[in-house]
């Protein structure tokens, strides 16, 4: 049995919010993740919602700032908040940027040195972490959703599109929809994946949809006062790709909201309800 180290637990809305660490074989380093277990888990295994955070965030950010536990407790969902990259890798360059390296894993497996060794976030999340969760928490690994914010929104969309059948529900707040077309994506994909743009396209939600990949019906919220909207997020590209491909999408644009967690708090109840509808069905 793969061990985990429990770092903290807190009673929360009748359930338990914990933060844990395990020695990841995929990443080759200890990795941290949060788990909220709702009160209904005392009666048996519950569906799981992965919540993927954005640039500069870690396993605590969404758990502390989004206010999601009260809604997960109401619907009986387990929330999992993975860290956003490997840590303490010894790669000096990975500390030099806030939008690349540590805290900026982009939920993919890097192919380029020096990142290829530890930046294996897709293999960790899709291949290793579900098994760790199944050993230590009352999860139903056959009822799984994914939600993400910004870089994590890119992660939610691309992981769902790249792994059909693994997620029954998908949603995002202010996702990076077309990373191959924006500066954050150019920097991250260039560093992690190298110069071959055909490889980049396999981690771009718009390009994946255009190439025929499909996901469960998408719920996406976007604030119109988001500082990153014009340069980095490209929700219009997602909307156009979904319309052309017949991929179901509910894209809601909200006047006055910015990129941060006050925006997320304002709509997180509706996201949790969206996931609960599919996962508890
Ligand atoms: N460069 C800024 C912005 C980074 C940023 O806005 N990150 C978003 C995700 S892309 C976030 O969720 N930050 C954490 C927070 O708002 O608490 C910083 O380093 O704080």
């Amino acid at each position: 049995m793969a061990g985990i180290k429990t770092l903290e637990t807190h009673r929360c809305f009748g359930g338990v919010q914990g933060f844990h660490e395990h020695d990841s074989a995929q990443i080759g380093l200890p990795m941290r993740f949060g788990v909220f277990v709702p009160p209904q888990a005392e009666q048996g295994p519950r569906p799981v919602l992965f919540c993927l955070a954005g640039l500069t965030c870690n396993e605590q950010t969404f758990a502390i700032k989004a206010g999601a536990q009260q809604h997960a407790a109401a619907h009986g969902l387990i929330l999992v908040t993975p860290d956003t990259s490997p840590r303490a890798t010894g790669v000096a360059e990975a500390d030099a940027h806030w939008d690349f390296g540590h805290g900026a894993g982009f939920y993919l497996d890097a192919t380029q040195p020096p990142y290829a060794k530890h930046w294996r976030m897709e293999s960790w999340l899709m291949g290793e972490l579900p098994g760790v969760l199944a050993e230590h928490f009352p999860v139903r690994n056959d009822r799984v959703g994914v939600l993400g914010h910004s870089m994590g929104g890119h992660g939610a969309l691309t992981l769902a599109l790249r792994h059909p059948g693994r997620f029954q529900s998908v949603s995002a707040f202010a996702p990076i929809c077309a990373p191959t077309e924006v500066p954050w994506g150019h920097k991250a994909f260039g560093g992690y994946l190298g110069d071959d743009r055909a490889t980049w396209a396999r981690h771009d939600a718009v390009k994946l949809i255009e190439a025929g990949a499909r996901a469960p019906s998408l719920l996406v919220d976007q604030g119109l006062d988001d500082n990153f909207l014009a340069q980095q997020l490209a929700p219009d590209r997602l909307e156009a790709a979904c319309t052309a491909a017949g991929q179901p999408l509910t894209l809601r644009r909200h006047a006055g909201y910015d990129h941060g967690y006050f925006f997320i708090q304002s709509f997180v109840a509706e996201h949790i309800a969206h996931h609960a509808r599919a996962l508890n069905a």
Side-chain angles (χ1 to χ4, degrees):
M1 192 152 135
I4 63 168
K5 185 156 85 179
T6 294
L7 306 167
E8 294 177 31
T9 60
H10 307 276
R11 176 65 70 187
C12 184
F13 289 98
V16 177
Q17 173 67 55
F19 296 101
H20 314 275
E21 184 174 275
H22 80 120
D23 288 324
S24 168
Q26 284 294 342
I27 302 274
L29 289 166
M31 287 297 288
R32 291 187 175 185
F33 55 95
V35 182
F36 172 72
V37 179
Q40 296 88 337
E42 284 170 21
Q43 272 77 57
R46 301 302 308 174
V48 187
L49 177 59
F50 282 85
C51 303
L52 308 181
L55 295 164
T56 73
C57 295
N58 62 27
E59 75 287 354
Q60 296 207 340
T61 316
F62 185 91
I64 292 173
K65 291 189 161 186
Q69 290 91 344
Q70 59 189 306
H71 310 296
H75 291 286
L77 299 187
I78 291 176
L79 303 179
V80 177
T81 55
D83 200 356
T84 60
S85 78
R87 303 285 174 177
T89 59
V91 176
E93 180 68 13
D95 278 331
H97 313 262
W98 65 271
D99 51 3
F100 179 75
H102 295 140
F106 274 83
Y107 304 101
L108 49 74
D109 289 357
T111 57
Q112 302 301 301
Y115 303 102
K117 185 168 176 203
H118 297 302
W119 272 258
R120 297 182 47 76
M121 292 297 288
E122 183 170 10
S123 290
W124 178 54
L125 284 169
M126 302 302 297
E128 186 175 16
L129 194 53
V132 173
L133 294 170
E135 281 185 17
H136 297 279
F137 300 92
V139 294
R140 281 194 62 180
N141 268 342
D142 61 332
R143 310 297 296 167
V144 184
V146 64
L147 168 163
H149 171 225
S150 194
M151 174 185 72
H154 144 78
L157 297 174
T158 55
L159 292 179
L161 289 161
R162 286 169 56 76
H163 300 270
R166 284 289 293 277
F167 298 107
Q168 285 80 49
S169 57
V170 186
S171 77
F173 294 94
I176 305 170
C177 297
T180 63
E181 300 172 32
V182 302
W184 276 342
H186 291 170
K187 182 170 178 175
F189 288 7
Y192 295 140
L193 302 173
D195 294 335
D196 177 8
R197 295 209 171 209
T199 316
W200 294 17
R202 295 202 279 274
H203 298 277
D204 177 303
V206 165
K207 294 258 183 309
L208 284 163
I209 291 167
E210 287 173 352
R214 294 293 177 268
S217 183
L218 306 172
L219 172 63
V220 174
D221 279 312
Q222 175 63 58
L224 293 179
D225 275 7
D226 183 328
N227 283 341
F228 298 116
L229 174 55
Q231 267 229 316
Q232 306 282 9
L233 303 176
D236 302 0
R237 294 281 292 114
L238 180 69
E239 190 172 47
C242 287
T243 302
Q247 162 65 46
L249 165 72
T250 302
L251 171 60
R252 308 188 303 184
R253 296 173 173 87
H254 303 282
Y257 287 88
D258 65 24
H259 192 67
Y261 271 85
F262 295 113
F263 160 60
I264 296 177
Q265 286 174 27
S266 305
F267 299 101
V268 76
E270 293 163 55
H271 281 243
I272 301 288
H274 165 82
H275 290 277
R277 267 193 297 279
L279 299 177
N280 286 329

